[in-house]
Each structure stands twice: as C-alpha cells, then as structure tokens.
Amino acid sequence: MKLFLDTANVEEIRQGVQWGLVDGVTTNPSLAAKEKGTGFETIVKQILKETPGPVSIEVVATDYEGMMEQALRISRLGDNAVVKIPMTLEGLRATKTLKSKGIAVNCTLIFNPVQALLAAKSGAEYVSPFVGRLDDIGEDGMSIIEQIKTIFTNYDIETKILVASIRNPLHVLRSAIMGADVVTIPFDVLKKLPSHPKTDEGLVRFLSDWKKIFPDGRFPL
Ligand code: E4P
C-alpha cells in the first residue's frame, strides 16, 4: 500500500521524504489556503520537484470546458502531476476526455461506492473516498472502502482506491487490511504511525541497561 501525504506544506513533504515514507502527495484548495504566504504556483512547482511520485492538484472550475482548460495546465506542470477532478457529471465527462489524452485523473469527493464505479468507468486513475468526513456524520467511512474493493475486484477494475480524509492510524490499518492501493495521510497522523508505548518503554530499558556496561553510553564495536 502506497503512502501519500495529504498536504500542501513543502516542509512536511521534505521531512516525510527524508523518512522514506512518502510515495506521493495530494493537495486540495483548502490545504492550499493554509499555505497562502507563498504563491501557489511556486508551492506546486516545489512539491512536484520534491515528491518522488504522483502529486494530485485540483481544478476549481466546475464546468467541463473550464475543468479541461485547468486540467491541461496542471498536466503540463510535470510528469508526476495528477489532475484532481470532483465527482460531478461535468467532472466525469472531463475525466473521460483526459483519459483519452493519457492524463491521469484522481476523482475526488467520493462518498459512496457507485460514485467510485462511475469514476472508474470514466477512466480515473484513482478514486478518493473521504472516510473521515463520513465518520464525522455518524457513518462508518471504512465500510465504503470494503464495498469499492469488492466492486473493483468483481470487474477487474484497475482504478486505484486512494483512501482520503484519514483521521487516525486505525483508518490506515483498516485500509491495509481491506487492500486499498493508497492512503493519503495528514502529517500529524503520519508521525503517529511508527509509535507504540511499548516501543518507547523498551528503548528506554535497552539504553539504561547498556549504561550498566558502558556508563558513558560508548559503543565500542
Ligand atoms: C483528499 O485528497 C483530500 O485532500 C483530503 O483527504 C480531505 O481530507 P479532510 O476531510 O481532512 O479535509
């Protein structure tokens, strides 16, 4: 399962890449708005350069012609640019045209499995179901991942399931068990993934036992 960072913050991406934990990045207009100190164009170019994989950048037009115009501009930014298109009829039409031009689309704002099926049929490279926002309204967001996985398996659909709106490590675990292709994770959740209190406790004990042999902490090998 690939790990993408869900951010438009270049520092977070650099840090995640140094840890070797970033296979790609997803952005959206709300994440871009958090970084408004620097021009968005500059930020996007930096993100595309520093990310060792696909970077989703979202159109903000809602009509077919406008989406197509913005999508073509996004795709020209770099080989790893993926166009994020919202799940609407106009978006599906744009997705089909972009597929015919060999341009990868991430279909966003997916909240049920039929939307995912339509996006896949239109040629989307990724579908982004938003699990956290479903949990927020009292639904079990992860259940739609299971359903999408079943549908895609039934029909040998190659579109990748990119689990979005991740809120906690449990979302990541359940995504992996269900066989999602990608999870896109906020930086604060990424940092939590390697943590376990017994790991911390075990490390403290190992280091203090080592000092019983070498009080100065020396490593003599
Ligand atoms: C997906 O690509 C979106 O950027 C993102 O996961 C939305 O998450 P949110 O519900 O935390 O805003």
Side-chain angles (χ1 to χ4, degrees):
M1 185 174 71
K2 304 258 186 213
L3 300 182
F4 287 5
L5 254 191
D6 196 25
T7 186
N9 183 292
V10 178
E11 279 313 313
E12 291 180 353
I13 294 165
R14 278 191 194 129
Q15 181 70 83
V17 170
Q18 271 181 8
W19 292 329
L21 293 178
V22 176
D23 300 309
V25 164
T26 53
T27 66
N28 66 38
S30 306
L31 293 170
K34 289 190 194 161
E35 312 298 326
K36 55 180 182 249
T38 320
F40 188 59
E41 201 190 340
T42 312
I43 291 177
V44 164
K45 284 183 180 160
Q46 273 178 329
I47 294 175
L48 285 163
K49 203 170 85 187
E50 308 218 8
T51 304
V55 176
S56 292
I57 303 152
E58 190 158 343
V59 299
V60 290
T62 53
D63 62 305
Y64 170 79
E65 285 77 16
M67 283 184 191
M68 283 305 301
E69 195 262 325
Q70 292 178 0
L72 294 175
R73 277 160 52 193
I74 289 169
S75 78
R76 281 195 288 266
L77 289 171
D79 289 343
N80 56 339
V82 172
V83 181
K84 224 172 173 188
I85 300 266
M87 164 45 64
T88 61
L89 286 170
E90 293 288 280
L92 289 171
R93 183 180 163 201
T95 300
K96 199 167 179 76
T97 308
L98 290 165
K99 169 73 176 174
S100 72
K101 293 178 184 294
I103 295 171
V105 167
N106 172 358
C107 186
T108 191
L109 290 169
I110 290 200
F111 292 91
N112 73 44
V114 172
Q115 291 178 318
L117 178 62
L118 294 181
K121 283 178 71 68
S122 301
E125 178 81 9
Y126 301 94
V127 287
S128 288
F130 279 37
V131 296
R133 292 192 197 184
L134 283 168
D135 292 353
D136 291 345
I137 57 165
E139 293 186 27
D140 176 17
M142 289 308 300
S143 69
I144 72 161
I145 304 304
E146 201 165 23
Q147 291 168 355
I148 295 169
K149 182 72 187 175
T150 301
I151 292 168
F152 284 13
T153 303
N154 286 348
Y155 298 104
D156 289 327
I157 290 171
E158 287 180 3
T159 300
K160 298 175 186 74
I161 303 173
L162 190 166
V163 184
S165 190
I166 292 272
R167 301 271 195 265
N168 53 57
L170 193 53
H171 280 147
V172 178
L173 169 65
R174 291 182 71 194
S175 299
I177 290 169
M178 288 174 187
D181 300 284
V182 188
V183 286
T184 189
I185 315 174
F187 190 65
D188 62 324
V189 176
L190 182 76
K191 282 191 294 182
K192 286 181 191 160
L193 295 182
S195 299
H196 193 283
K198 294 303 280 182
T199 303
D200 298 342
E201 184 193 298
L203 186 57
V204 167
R205 191 181 311 164
F206 284 155
L207 296 181
S208 82
D209 285 346
W210 186 254
K211 286 201 171 168
K212 291 177 191 161
I213 327 171
F214 298 106
D216 58 359
R218 182 161 58 90
F219 187 70
L221 301 179

